[in-house]
Amino acid sequence: MKKLEEYVRSIPDFPEEGIIFRDVTSVLQDADGLKLAIDSMQELLKDLDFDVVVGAESRGFVFGTPIAYNLHKPFVLVRKKGKLPCETISKEYDLEYGSAVIEMHKDSIKPGQRVVLVDDLIATGGTIQAAAELVEELGGKVVKIIFLMELAGLKGRERLAKYEVESVIRYEGN
């Protein structure tokens, strides 16, 4: 059986020189890799008491939905501004160059619900921090944040220091 890291394609000098891009599509395109990724992320939730899985657009949907399905939990979407049809709350956050806005439906989290956030990759942590703040604004409690991959050199975990954070694969660089 291959290790999960063996399914991740590493592309040097993308999007710029000196960066090693960790491509999750190579995991998704292999049935064994996809199963191993979902199973490994789900294992991070073993024995955790929670009510809802929240996934950030778009790869958080890819990993969060099967986890929610397997554990018989509801799944809540965090989307880019203007993509959700009902009443929303929003949060602006900083990107490397500029800013972005994400939204959740106002009725997606009930006060007191225990929430797990799921995404494919933690880099600087800005998107998932904004998602966690939306959950809290609705009265939910973030009990864990899980990622398939972590780029430790970008220090996203430090930004999320008040939460329990785990990743399946940890790359020391950026």
Side-chain angles (χ1 to χ4, degrees):
M1 179 81 142
K2 285 169 63 172
K3 291 175 32 179
L4 188 54
E5 292 88 334
E6 295 176 64
Y7 291 98
V8 178
R9 181 172 36 206
S10 296
I11 302 167
D13 299 322
F14 183 82
E16 58 187 52
E17 193 170 325
I19 301 292
I20 300 174
F21 184 81
R22 307 299 180 174
D23 184 15
V24 74
T25 64
S26 56
V27 176
L28 301 174
Q29 292 170 358
D30 186 290
D32 292 333
L34 178 59
K35 182 173 181 1
L36 184 56
I38 298 297
D39 290 349
S40 298
M41 292 178 80
Q42 192 169 300
E43 183 66 21
L44 299 177
L45 303 175
K46 186 177 167 191
D47 301 322
L48 181 68
D49 177 32
F50 67 97
D51 304 303
V52 179
V53 176
V54 172
E57 187 169 349
S58 64
R59 290 175 303 258
F61 302 172
V62 172
F63 294 104
T65 301
I67 292 169
Y69 175 83
N70 289 340
L71 299 177
H72 196 68
K73 304 289 183 184
F75 182 76
V76 171
L77 307 171
V78 172
R79 301 227 39 205
K80 294 174 182 152
K81 183 176 177 66
K83 300 289 186 180
L84 292 170
C86 297
E87 190 176 359
T88 61
I89 61 169
S90 62
K91 189 76 172 172
E92 185 173 354
Y93 63 100
D94 292 329
L95 299 168
E96 189 174 358
Y97 303 105
S99 63
V101 178
I102 57 172
E103 296 180 325
M104 290 177 73
H105 279 140
K106 206 171 196 176
D107 62 356
S108 61
I109 302 293
K110 294 166 185 55
Q113 283 188 311
R114 298 170 55 81
V115 176
V116 169
L117 290 166
V118 177
D119 208 353
D120 69 321
L121 175 76
I122 178 174
T124 63
T127 303
I128 210 74
Q129 179 186 27
E133 290 171 1
L134 287 174
V135 166
E136 292 165 345
E137 187 176 327
L138 292 173
K141 177 174 176 37
V142 176
V143 294
K144 194 160 194 177
I145 303 173
I146 64 170
F147 302 95
L148 180 63
M149 298 182 287
E150 177 176 357
L151 303 179
L154 296 176
K155 303 188 185 323
R157 186 181 286 261
E158 291 175 16
R159 186 178 209 159
L160 303 172
K162 77 178 210 176
Y163 305 106
E164 182 179 345
V165 174
E166 278 193 84
S167 56
V168 176
I169 303 171
R170 181 180 167 99
Y171 296 102
E172 292 306 317
N174 55 2

